Amino acid sequence: MSVVPLLWRNMKWRYHNAFTIVMTILQPMLWLVLYSAVAGQTMKGAGIPNYTAFILPGLVVLVSFSACSSGGIMNYLMKAEGSFYRILIAPVPRAAIITAQILEAVFCTFLEVGILFGAGLFFSVRIASGFVGMLLIVLIVFLTACFLAGLTYTISLRLPNEVIYETVMNAIVLPAFFLSTALFPADTLTGPLKIAVNLNPFTHVINILRGLILQGEIDMDGLARIVILLFLLCAGSFYFALRGLKREMSL
């Protein structure tokens, strides 16, 4: 039960620093509203009638990155005010500390993803796979956010300050976003670029989400593969986050 008070504490921090939500949702909203409107005219000729619905899965991944990255910033701010170390010496399991921060980032991700989907309604975005598809989208977003929250938590423990942290996160987020199918279909790609896009795990997350939004049929084999992959990534990121936190205790 030690996770609950820690989670509530993190949520109160987010409430008092609501600008972090505004800043992380701003860029994806600009992509959704402006870029989709401009590029949508061109993409109609490429056989994509609703480009907003097409790029929405990629923007879901982007906003997940942004929301979870702000969880790493939380570590630096808590270190500056000393509360990070007070929690660290408290008689609570280290896993509970990480779990609480991951769950807070997941809740923030769902809030921002909900805003994106709400805005998408004004651009005729609908979930073609219905209620079941919506539940599967929730599952995939949850697992993706858990992985990213664990990853950003680990990175924030390794880097000395938030300036370097933000630089490193940009160096991770931008290639992961652009070397995926977030903005364009990968059918015509060839050579090393196609290999890089296919090796990107977020390509497959985006493709599954796009299929659930645009297609009525659900690819159960592809869904099972991506769920297993995300489970493994979540376990790996949590393990390294736990190692990083134990390392903090030994400094």
Side-chain angles (χ1 to χ4, degrees), residues 9-212:
R9 179 187 181 280
N10 291 337
M11 292 179 69
K12 287 195 296 183
W13 180 92
R14 182 75 67 173
Y15 175 78
H16 291 294
N17 295 272
F19 71 92
T20 59
I21 299 176
V22 176
M23 296 306 297
T24 54
I25 192 62
L26 183 60
Q27 185 182 24
M29 282 296 294
L30 290 175
W31 279 93
L32 182 72
V33 176
L34 299 180
Y35 182 78
S36 67
V38 173
Q41 300 296 322
T42 303
M43 289 299 175
K44 285 182 179 178
I48 303 176
N50 189 340
Y51 188 60
T52 304
F54 182 85
I55 68 170
L56 183 58
L59 297 180
V60 167
V61 171
L62 180 61
V63 81
S64 300
F65 257 118
S66 300
C68 294
S69 294
S70 66
I73 295 294
M74 184 191 301
N75 277 343
Y76 293 106
L77 296 179
M78 289 196 301
K79 283 181 178 181
E81 66 185 21
S83 60
F84 178 88
Y85 299 103
R86 289 196 296 271
I87 294 175
L88 203 59
I89 63 176
V92 295
R94 305 286 81 88
I97 298 174
I98 299 171
T99 302
Q101 195 147 332
I102 287 176
L103 289 177
E104 190 278 332
V106 170
F107 290 156
C108 185
T109 298
F110 273 113
L111 172 62
E112 299 189 9
V113 168
I115 294 173
L116 278 182
F117 272 92
L121 293 175
F122 294 98
F123 295 89
S124 302
V125 176
R126 302 293 184 270
I127 300 176
S129 52
F131 181 72
V132 174
M134 184 175 66
L135 293 179
L136 293 174
I137 289 173
V138 169
L139 172 64
I140 294 171
V141 171
F142 174 79
L143 292 175
T144 302
C146 284
F147 161 57
L148 292 176
L151 177 65
T152 55
Y153 189 94
T154 302
I155 294 173
S156 71
L157 294 177
R158 291 287 182 176
L159 300 178
N161 57 64
E162 59 268 32
V163 176
I164 298 176
Y165 171 78
E166 290 180 352
T167 303
V168 170
M169 289 310 304
N170 284 332
I172 294 173
V173 173
L174 293 179
F177 181 70
F178 287 109
L179 287 176
S180 71
T181 55
L183 301 178
F184 54 84
D187 301 336
T188 58
L189 294 178
T190 59
L193 186 58
K194 182 176 182 178
I195 294 174
V197 169
N198 287 330
L199 288 176
N200 184 352
F202 298 107
T203 291
H204 307 290
V205 173
I206 291 168
N207 289 343
I208 286 294
L209 291 174
R210 184 171 290 144
L212 293 171

